[in-house]
Amino acid sequence: MFHGNVSLEIAQGLKTLQGRIEKAKIPASKLDETLNIATWNIREFGKKRRTKAALHYIAEIIGQFDLVAIVELRDNLADLQQILPILGPYWDAIYSDAILDFGGNRERVCYVYDQRAVTFNGLAAEASPPRKKRGKEYLPETSWWRAPYVASFKSGNFDFLAFTTHVRWGDDNSKRQEEIQGLANWIYAKMNEPNGEDKDIIVMGDFNIPNRNDPMFKALTSRGLKLPAALIADEFGSNLARDKRYDQILHSPRIPENFANAGGVLDFYCEDHKPLFPDLDKAQFTYQLSDHLPMWMQIKTDIDGFVLDQLIQRKRSGS
């Protein structure tokens, strides 16, 4: 981390933040063996310029992981471009185009990643709803307010697709559930494409689902997506009060043992924002850091044994 010659106030805030990070007990990743990933809704990131303190705090939080899927990044990338140098020269970002209408909220999806641990594998695209032929035209069957962003990555011997979205907002739960079901169907179809880039898909983002008993969560998992074992516990709320599970990390369980390690949320708030921003009220604080906490998990990326088992099975079956 390259915080440089920061002020006394920022240095003290960083020390407080580091103490809160330690409480999350995020294990260090090991090159070619494990990968730490996270998803984080950074509130209106880029709409209003963050303070210098906020930029250093956000960089400190992102730097705890190897790959972070960010939602609510706005069309203005100035703050993101200031955070990358703080993270250091090995860090890079891939992001979608902004959706400028009211439903899109001028938002992007962004992957920020440490190239020493994970590399971009070539595919980056917005996911589009399936199309049907209507007359002479091929038109989407439905619409998603904010297109999910899909990118391929490789860590060790593990190739995977990251699928990140920010599901529609508003008070119409039936329409939100319909959108979530469409996303689940799209992911299922992607997993079963004979020429797809990879069968391992990690699904992340803000789904605006309050808890795992909600019909919207059942829609999300209706086509085979699973919660990693480390994130099944109910106490992993991702809002500041820790009582709502808006954010999710799920996976296609092709190698379920890869996703059964450590996971949780990083609570930078700890019910008191004043040590970080003594002059702000709580609402103002959420626009400097966020009203969401990062959700994270660790993945095993050394899959040699699994690959060899598959090869042996194919040889024995004569295929």
Side-chain angles (χ1 to χ4, degrees), residues 248-292:
Q248 304 288 342
I249 301 177
L250 303 102
H251 67 100
S252 54
R254 192 172 73 98
I255 320 176
E257 58 270 24
N258 275 37
F259 299 85
N261 305 292
V265 294
L266 192 166
D267 190 349
F268 53 76
Y269 172 56
C270 292
E271 300 184 347
D272 184 9
H273 68 279
K274 289 295 184 179
L276 301 178
F277 294 97
D279 299 326
L280 302 183
D281 62 29
K282 182 179 175 182
Q284 292 169 328
F285 162 78
T286 66
Y287 287 97
Q288 288 298 312
L289 280 187
S290 186
D291 55 347
H292 287 244

Side-chain angles (χ1 to χ4, degrees), residues 36-42 61-62 65 67-72 109-112 163-166 202-207 231 238 245-250 264-266 268 290 292-297:
N36 291 342
I37 67 169
T39 182
W40 189 15
N41 179 328
I42 305 179
I61 291 166
I62 290 174
F65 310 103
L67 170 68
V68 180
I70 297 172
V71 299
E72 250 183 75
V109 171
C110 178
Y111 297 104
V112 183
F163 175 105
T164 302
T165 190
H166 189 187
I202 300 172
V203 178
M204 299 179 281
D206 180 355
F207 290 84
L231 293 178
S238 61
R245 188 74 170 264
Y246 296 126
D247 305 278
Q248 304 288 342
I249 301 177
L250 303 102
V265 294
L266 192 166
F268 53 76
S290 186
H292 287 244
L293 304 172
M295 178 169 285
W296 65 273
M297 65 169 297

Side-chain angles (χ1 to χ4, degrees), residues 39-105:
T39 182
W40 189 15
N41 179 328
I42 305 179
R43 190 172 196 179
E44 296 187 356
F45 188 31
K47 181 179 180 180
K48 180 180 178 181
R49 294 297 295 273
R50 252 69 173 182
T51 63
K52 187 175 181 179
L55 295 175
H56 281 273
Y57 297 160
I58 290 171
E60 184 70 24
I61 291 166
I62 290 174
Q64 305 309 307
F65 310 103
D66 303 310
L67 170 68
V68 180
I70 297 172
V71 299
E72 250 183 75
L73 174 65
R74 293 300 192 95
D75 49 332
N76 188 332
L77 297 171
D79 282 348
L80 174 67
Q81 290 165 348
Q82 290 194 65
I83 282 172
L84 288 172
I86 300 172
L87 286 165
Y90 297 104
W91 285 80
D92 205 349
I94 300 170
Y95 45 82
S96 64
D97 199 3
I99 305 171
L100 301 180
D101 59 34
F102 184 68
N105 202 33

